[in-house]
Amino acid sequence: MSLKTVLSIILSSACFAVTIAQSTQQRIRQYRQSRETILMDEYRQFVSIPNVSSDSANIRKNAVFIVQMMKQRGITATLLDGTKPGTNPAVFGEVTVPGATKTLIFYAHYDGQPVNPKQWADGLQPFVPVFITAPVEQGGTIVTTHKTGDAVNPAWRLTGRGSADDKAGVMTILNAYDALVKSNSKPTANLKFFFEGEEEVGSTHLGDILQKHRDKLQSDLWIIADGPRHVSGKKLVQFGVRGDVNMHLTVFGPKRPLHSGNYGNWAPNPAQRLVTLLASMKDEDGKILIKGFYDDVTPLTASEKQAIAALPNMETALKKELGIAKPDGNGAPFQELLMIPTLNINGIQSANVGAMAGNVIPAKAEAVLDLRLVRGNDVARQMQRVKDHISSKGFYVLERDPTDAERQQYPKLIKITAGVGYNAQRTPMDLPIAQGVVAAVQSTSSEPIVLLPSSGGSLPLYLFENVLKANVVSVPVDNYDNNQHAENENVLVQYLWDGIETMAAIMQIN
Amino acid sequence: MSLKTVLSIILSSACFAVTIAQSTQQRIRQYRQSRETILMDEYRQFVSIPNVSSDSANIRKNAVFIVQMMKQRGITATLLDGTKPGTNPAVFGEVTVPGATKTLIFYAHYDGQPVNPKQWADGLQPFVPVFITAPVEQGGTIVTTHKTGDAVNPAWRLTGRGSADDKAGVMTILNAYDALVKSNSKPTANLKFFFEGEEEVGSTHLGDILQKHRDKLQSDLWIIADGPRHVSGKKLVQFGVRGDVNMHLTVFGPKRPLHSGNYGNWAPNPAQRLVTLLASMKDEDGKILIKGFYDDVTPLTASEKQAIAALPNMETALKKELGIAKPDGNGAPFQELLMIPTLNINGIQSANVGAMAGNVIPAKAEAVLDLRLVRGNDVARQMQRVKDHISSKGFYVLERDPTDAERQQYPKLIKITAGVGYNAQRTPMDLPIAQGVVAAVQSTSSEPIVLLPSSGGSLPLYLFENVLKANVVSVPVDNYDNNQHAENENVLVQYLWDGIETMAAIMQIN
């Protein structure tokens, strides 16, 4: 055989392999295109089911809906409970592929953050999904002409709590499998599916569920479909997440709200005390002033640093879109700032503002803090630093409301309660099976995909490491401007279609 | 005539006079006692009519109800509009007494502060008045056994927005006149009645109404029935009020709420900026740090200082009742602190706390400030000091939401809007007709009444001075723990009965 012949064979083989890959992707796309209205109608039904984590009755309706979706697609499906009463069930499914040597397990969560319908734009409701032409903050309007069964513009967005975070994960994973099978292809690995119902309340019982069902949940890799793609719009593989915990603070004032005139200058105002406390935690650049807050951070590895340096610079575009003249961080790059711990005021309230405001000295003032943790941080240690800071400002710290005797004794009283929280997680970027996922995702994109050592966001992925000794990578599908966790949450329709292709490609990794 | 005879005549005359006075008061009391259930049923109907100042339709129902009350008592009654559309009407009434040389005009307001029903205790609603056994904050419970027409325990409290502030003023004034006439007595002065409907929104159109009807509203003295009696429970005559104005602050963050993980450490948090700003305005003792804030205060006169020194010391009792270990003011006496200007956080809100909290960097953070003013302060000048302070902290100040261009240009943006507001007012304590009121109120009390140079609270009394060149004193009727301006507002039934006797005595001053 001449060199030319050998080269020719090699080249044609290579071309053949590429042709097959393209062809499968095209068949998947065609199958999806032929069923867009059906897929979208089903997804709207799914998003219509209220999914606030604390709403157990509706949470179970969501779980049952997912089981149905899975069974319709030929996937065995069951609910996994933990050992504790009041646990929102996880939905588990499995597909065994003859001859497959690896097992992939796909994760998404079907529960959503709390909603305040009053904060949603006119015409939008958390659990009445509609299409909008663009984000409402950018002048998007509701598509009033669309009826069930009509074609859907891929540039539209579907609104609703969970439309992006993270029912989109469930939707794209299950439809990827369906499209793959219906397109006369098959997965190269055994597949498992695990859809959590408590992610938005800190995955309180996830460790328990993983422990209880550890045999069933063994795999070579967890694929986490949650969070947004890169802000540039590029597809993304993430190797880690920040940890997360919430702390709820309540500063106590007079036992009852007082007339601000009849007691003003004499009765201490709890809102004033709370703002003074919170102000002491950060400087004007957003640097956290709590002692030791940055001490435990594990330095980035060389490959992590390299990956961060290679990330597209989105700051100029983001500043413009978000209306930010000067970001926090004293000039540090956006992505580096996501690799250090945070302290964020999620919300603050004392009495009322706006039309309901009254001339009162409020009886209490509340704030919720969000702490994001990076590798090296420990939840308990980081929270203790915040508590120590609060004590150092003269507050007497309680985990409950004060008694009358405590009110008489301590001038400054605060109640601190905290969620369970969890630490950060990172997978080494050079893990072979993870590199297989990178190649698969890249095969679905004409642009170079983005590799991120850690997301700024959080998932309890350390549990997979701790309980199951598992490997984990994240492959997000949502648009970055999805308003997740807030009012007017939405998912870009094209990104759902893209996500189906992404997940199908991963199901065929070598 | 012997000296003994003369003395006897003098003594019997004196005794006769005293007997008459006691007798009138007793007859008034007996008349009230015979009609308590009727009076209370009517009052519950009155408090049932929603009276939030901005609720024009219901405000008018209140005005019509008062007109009916007046006509049933033989008082001519009309509504006084101003010259501006959208003005809540004042209710005016008049009684001419043959031979009388003086005219007294009685003031109360029938509008109430905004309500947030969710903040009221279980079973209590702002406009469904019920009886409670004590303040709910002190363990009071709802009297479920009471039916319309049943006897009312004078130690109970009637709940509802306006039950104390200030429908109690209308109730006691009109029933005082009725009881006086029905007890075969008569006023010694011509009487006028003026019930305002916009007090809780800063009496925006009061000046206009006074100006338009200035001839009709001439008098020798305005008697203001509003606010609480002294915290000791003693009856009170007040010679002045603090001025008042609200400022609404909105600090802007990113144009839409952002995920606290995906943007945390980079996107500035408007709640953090607002707390830092508010913290800069006061020190730990409540001293206001805004430049020049205390500069304009007119020193107290000798008689005002004397009156303050004579006031009962309620601080120990108040601290215990309100659960305050250490008041603001660095040890200054309570009453002296009410004679200097205030800056109070009425309310603060950014995103949500509690069950509705989400992990977000909010898009905005709001606070409402209440500024109380004393003699010497000017509303515009005092607000300008606050604005100058905010500017000095690097904020670009707007009176509307920022444009995109402004968001790009200015790192720190704030919107400040303000109510109209008004200055303080004080009447000289030695004014003869005011001393007549003092004597009348004292005649209804077995204890020494309290004389206060100025209330800590506010009313637009400077308008009476400015527009009508009138004299003004205040005679409050409410219990001090009435939760006015807040949830669970209530009036002590006995204080309504007392108020009727107080107002009737004033109607008979010499």
Side-chain angles (χ1 to χ4, degrees):
Chain A
M1 226 179 323
S2 74
L3 181 62
K4 198 175 170 185
T5 313
V6 172
L7 274 175
S8 171
I9 292 169
I10 291 172
L11 281 171
S12 62
S13 306
C15 288
F16 184 65
V18 169
T19 309
I20 289 288
Q22 286 181 328
S23 175
T24 305
Q25 193 184 332
Q26 280 171 350
R27 287 204 306 276
I28 286 166
R29 185 173 298 181
Q30 281 157 12
Y31 180 75
R32 178 264 296 170
Q33 283 169 336
S34 69
R35 291 169 54 83
E36 279 184 1
T37 59
I38 297 168
L39 296 180
M40 197 50 76
D41 288 347
E42 182 192 50
Y43 194 48
R44 290 176 73 176
Q45 281 180 51
F46 186 22
V47 178
S48 300
I49 310 171
N51 72 335
V52 177
S53 319
S54 57
D55 179 1
S56 310
N58 276 312
I59 278 291
R60 200 157 279 269
K61 285 184 195 164
N62 279 281
V64 168
F65 191 91
I66 296 170
V67 167
Q68 282 179 335
M69 285 176 75
M70 292 169 83
K71 289 187 174 167
Q72 283 164 3
R73 287 158 176 82
I75 305 167
T76 62
T78 52
L79 300 186
L80 301 187
D81 280 314
T83 62
K84 309 272 165 58
T87 299
N88 292 346
V91 184
F92 176 75
E94 201 167 359
V95 172
T96 305
V97 176
T101 56
K102 289 177 191 147
T103 300
L104 299 176
I105 181 162
F106 288 82
Y107 167 100
H109 65 88
Y110 64 88
D111 65 318
Q113 284 266 323
V115 290
N116 185 349
K118 287 183 192 163
Q119 292 174 335
W120 289 55
D122 284 351
L124 297 189
Q125 296 176 50
F127 300 112
V128 184
V130 295
F131 292 106
I132 53 176
T133 57
V136 289
E137 296 79 6
Q138 293 169 37
T141 55
I142 297 172
V143 180
T144 52
T145 52
H146 184 271
K147 296 184 302 296
T148 302
D150 286 355
V152 175
N153 184 331
W156 290 349
R157 290 143 188 266
L158 185 71
T159 64
R161 172 62 79 236
S163 61
D165 180 24
D166 179 33
K167 289 184 175 179
V170 179
M171 189 275 192
T172 52
I173 290 167
L174 294 183
N175 287 319
Y177 175 73
D178 198 39
L180 192 64
V181 173
K182 299 285 171 49
S183 310
N184 299 317
S185 299
K186 62 172 193 175
T188 55
N190 298 312
L191 304 182
K192 294 180 180 177
F193 305 91
F194 183 90
F195 302 125
E196 193 194 353
E198 295 183 339
E199 197 276 332
E200 297 294 5
V201 281
S203 296
T204 323
H205 302 105
L206 179 60
D208 181 49
I209 293 176
L210 297 184
Q211 187 64 48
K212 182 174 172 186
H213 305 283
R214 50 179 298 113
D215 293 341
K216 202 185 285 264
L217 298 174
Q218 291 303 311
S219 73
D220 294 281
L221 187 68
W222 284 71
I223 316 289
I224 310 297
D226 192 18
R229 282 158 57 163
H230 191 259
V231 289
S232 63
K234 293 188 168 79
K235 290 190 179 180
L236 173 65
V237 178
Q238 271 170 199
F239 293 81
V241 286
R242 289 201 273 200
D244 190 34
V245 70
N246 284 169
M247 298 178 77
H248 297 251
L249 314 182
T250 306
V251 173
F252 296 92
K255 286 178 76 174
R256 58 184 170 84
L258 298 176
H259 188 289
S260 65
N262 294 335
Y263 295 89
N265 280 342
W266 184 81
N269 184 318
Q272 188 68 41
R273 288 195 163 160
L274 180 61
V275 299
T276 301
L277 174 63
L278 295 174
S280 74
M281 295 183 181
K282 270 185 155 177
D283 74 9
E284 289 270 330
D285 279 320
K287 186 180 168 193
I288 299 155
L289 304 173
I290 292 168
K291 197 176 164 191
F293 205 79
Y294 300 113
D295 280 1
D296 299 334
V297 177
T298 305
L300 300 175
T301 65
S303 53
E304 288 171 339
K305 279 183 188 167
Q306 201 177 0
I308 289 171
L311 292 170
N313 185 337
M314 297 304 299
E315 291 202 38
T316 306
L318 271 182
K319 282 161 67 176
K320 185 163 182 212
E321 186 218 320
L322 298 173
I324 293 173
K326 184 174 178 290
D328 281 353
N330 205 13
F334 179 82
Q335 292 292 350
E336 281 184 22
L337 292 168
L338 300 189
M339 302 295 152
I340 57 176
T342 74
L343 182 139
N344 179 66
I345 301 175
N346 275 352
I348 183 169
Q349 181 159 23
S350 182
N352 297 296
V353 298
M356 291 207 296
N359 283 330
V360 293
I361 299 167
K364 65 178 178 175
E366 296 172 87
V368 180
L369 299 180
D370 178 47
L371 278 64
R372 301 279 170 176
L373 312 169
V374 300
R375 199 168 47 183
N377 288 146
D378 174 74
V379 165
R381 206 161 54 225
Q382 203 73 336
M383 285 202 293
Q384 190 58 50
R385 288 184 171 123
V386 178
K387 286 180 194 169
D388 289 347
H389 177 86
I390 292 171
S391 297
S392 79
K393 296 295 172 186
F395 281 92
Y396 185 71
V397 177
L398 295 160
E399 293 181 357
R400 49 162 175 75
D401 287 1
T403 62
D404 283 356
E406 286 161 345
R407 284 177 177 275
Q408 289 303 309
Q409 190 174 355
Y410 302 104
K412 292 166 73 174
L413 287 162
I414 192 168
K415 177 170 76 171
I416 305 179
T417 59
V420 176
Y422 50 80
N423 292 340
Q425 181 275 335
R426 280 193 223 161
T427 295
M429 295 186 77
D430 48 8
L431 186 76
I433 194 167
Q435 285 299 320
V437 170
V438 170
V441 177
Q442 182 61 70
S443 76
T444 66
S445 177
S446 56
E447 291 183 294
I449 67 166
V450 174
L451 305 182
L452 202 57
S454 173
S455 151
S458 302
L459 281 170
L461 302 187
Y462 83 101
L463 286 173
F464 301 115
E465 280 189 358
N466 281 19
V467 180
L468 301 175
K469 313 297 173 208
N471 297 308
V472 189
V473 297
S474 294
V475 184
V477 297
D478 297 331
N479 41 300
Y480 80 102
D481 55 355
N482 63 33
N483 283 27
Q484 67 186 96
H485 292 199
E487 56 272 23
N488 311 331
E489 182 177 345
N490 68 85
V491 67
L492 186 62
V493 171
Q494 181 61 50
Y495 277 31
L496 292 175
W497 305 150
D498 289 354
I500 292 173
E501 294 177 15
T502 305
M503 294 298 153
I506 295 171
M507 290 172 188
Q508 300 171 87
I509 61 169
N510 296 310
Chain B
M1 226 179 323
S2 72
L3 182 61
K4 197 173 168 185
T5 312
V6 172
L7 273 176
S8 171
I9 291 170
I10 291 173
L11 280 172
S12 64
S13 305
C15 287
F16 185 63
V18 169
T19 308
I20 288 289
Q22 286 181 328
S23 176
T24 304
Q25 192 183 334
Q26 280 172 349
R27 285 202 310 273
I28 285 166
R29 183 172 298 182
Q30 282 158 10
Y31 181 76
R32 178 263 297 171
Q33 284 169 335
S34 70
R35 291 171 53 85
E36 280 184 2
T37 60
I38 297 168
L39 295 180
M40 196 50 75
D41 288 346
E42 181 192 50
Y43 193 49
R44 290 176 74 176
Q45 283 181 51
F46 186 23
V47 178
S48 301
I49 310 171
N51 71 336
V52 178
S53 318
S54 57
D55 178 1
S56 309
N58 276 312
I59 279 291
R60 199 155 282 267
K61 285 185 195 164
N62 278 282
V64 168
F65 191 92
I66 296 170
V67 167
Q68 282 179 333
M69 285 175 75
M70 291 168 82
K71 287 186 174 166
Q72 284 164 2
R73 287 157 177 84
I75 303 167
T76 62
T78 51
L79 299 187
L80 300 186
D81 280 315
T83 62
K84 310 272 165 55
T87 299
N88 291 345
V91 184
F92 176 75
E94 201 168 359
V95 172
T96 305
V97 177
T101 56
K102 289 177 193 145
T103 299
L104 299 176
I105 181 163
F106 287 83
Y107 168 101
H109 65 89
Y110 64 87
D111 65 320
Q113 284 265 323
V115 290
N116 185 350
K118 288 183 190 165
Q119 294 175 333
W120 288 56
D122 285 351
L124 297 189
Q125 297 176 51
F127 300 113
V128 184
V130 296
F131 292 106
I132 53 176
T133 57
V136 289
E137 296 79 6
Q138 293 170 36
T141 55
I142 297 172
V143 181
T144 53
T145 51
H146 183 269
K147 295 184 303 294
T148 302
D150 285 356
V152 175
N153 184 330
W156 290 348
R157 288 145 190 266
L158 185 72
T159 64
R161 172 62 79 238
S163 60
D165 181 24
D166 180 33
K167 289 184 175 178
V170 179
M171 188 274 194
T172 51
I173 290 167
L174 294 184
N175 287 319
Y177 174 73
D178 197 41
L180 193 64
V181 173
K182 299 285 170 48
S183 309
N184 300 319
S185 296
K186 62 173 190 172
T188 54
N190 297 312
L191 304 182
K192 295 180 181 178
F193 305 91
F194 183 91
F195 302 126
E196 192 193 354
E198 296 184 337
E199 196 276 332
E200 298 295 4
V201 282
S203 297
T204 324
H205 302 106
L206 179 60
D208 180 50
I209 294 176
L210 297 184
Q211 187 63 49
K212 182 174 171 184
H213 304 283
R214 52 179 297 110
D215 293 341
K216 203 184 282 265
L217 297 173
Q218 290 303 312
S219 73
D220 294 280
L221 187 68
W222 284 72
I223 315 289
I224 310 296
D226 191 19
R229 282 158 57 163
H230 190 258
V231 289
S232 63
K234 293 188 168 78
K235 290 190 180 180
L236 174 64
V237 178
Q238 273 170 198
F239 294 81
V241 286
R242 289 202 275 200
D244 190 34
V245 70
N246 283 171
M247 298 179 77
H248 297 251
L249 313 183
T250 306
V251 174
F252 296 91
K255 284 177 76 174
R256 57 184 170 85
L258 297 176
H259 188 289
S260 64
N262 296 334
Y263 296 89
N265 278 343
W266 183 81
N269 185 317
Q272 189 68 43
R273 289 198 163 156
L274 179 61
V275 299
T276 302
L277 174 63
L278 294 174
S280 75
M281 294 182 181
K282 269 184 155 177
D283 74 9
E284 289 270 330
D285 280 319
K287 186 181 168 192
I288 298 155
L289 304 173
I290 292 168
K291 197 176 163 191
F293 206 79
Y294 301 113
D295 280 1
D296 299 333
V297 178
T298 305
L300 300 174
T301 65
S303 53
E304 287 170 339
K305 280 185 186 166
Q306 199 177 2
I308 289 171
L311 292 170
N313 184 339
M314 298 303 300
E315 292 202 40
T316 305
L318 271 182
K319 282 161 69 177
K320 184 160 183 214
E321 186 218 320
L322 299 173
I324 293 172
K326 182 173 178 294
D328 281 352
N330 205 13
F334 179 84
Q335 293 292 351
E336 282 184 20
L337 291 168
L338 301 189
M339 302 295 150
I340 57 176
T342 74
L343 181 139
N344 179 65
I345 301 176
N346 275 354
I348 183 168
Q349 181 158 25
S350 182
N352 298 295
V353 297
M356 291 208 296
N359 284 328
V360 293
I361 298 167
K364 64 177 181 177
E366 296 172 86
V368 179
L369 299 180
D370 178 49
L371 278 64
R372 300 278 169 176
L373 312 169
V374 300
R375 198 168 48 183
N377 288 146
D378 174 74
V379 166
R381 204 160 55 224
Q382 202 74 336
M383 285 203 292
Q384 191 57 50
R385 288 182 171 126
V386 177
K387 287 180 194 170
D388 289 346
H389 177 86
I390 292 172
S391 298
S392 79
K393 297 294 172 186
F395 282 91
Y396 185 72
V397 177
L398 295 160
E399 292 181 358
R400 48 161 176 78
D401 287 1
T403 63
D404 284 356
E406 286 161 344
R407 284 177 177 275
Q408 290 303 311
Q409 189 175 356
Y410 302 105
K412 292 166 74 174
L413 287 163
I414 193 168
K415 176 171 76 173
I416 305 179
T417 58
V420 177
Y422 49 81
N423 291 340
Q425 181 275 336
R426 281 194 221 157
T427 294
M429 294 186 75
D430 48 7
L431 186 77
I433 193 166
Q435 286 299 321
V437 170
V438 170
V441 178
Q442 183 61 69
S443 77
T444 66
S445 178
S446 56
E447 290 183 294
I449 67 167
V450 175
L451 305 183
L452 202 58
S454 173
S455 154
S458 302
L459 282 170
L461 303 188
Y462 82 102
L463 285 172
F464 301 115
E465 280 187 359
N466 282 17
V467 180
L468 302 176
K469 313 297 172 207
N471 297 309
V472 188
V473 296
S474 294
V475 184
V477 297
D478 297 330
N479 41 301
Y480 79 102
D481 54 356
N482 63 34
N483 284 26
Q484 68 186 94
H485 292 200
E487 55 271 25
N488 311 330
E489 182 178 344
N490 68 85
V491 66
L492 186 62
V493 171
Q494 181 61 50
Y495 278 31
L496 292 175
W497 304 152
D498 288 355
I500 292 172
E501 294 177 16
T502 305
M503 293 300 153
I506 295 171
M507 291 172 188
Q508 300 171 85
I509 61 169
N510 297 313

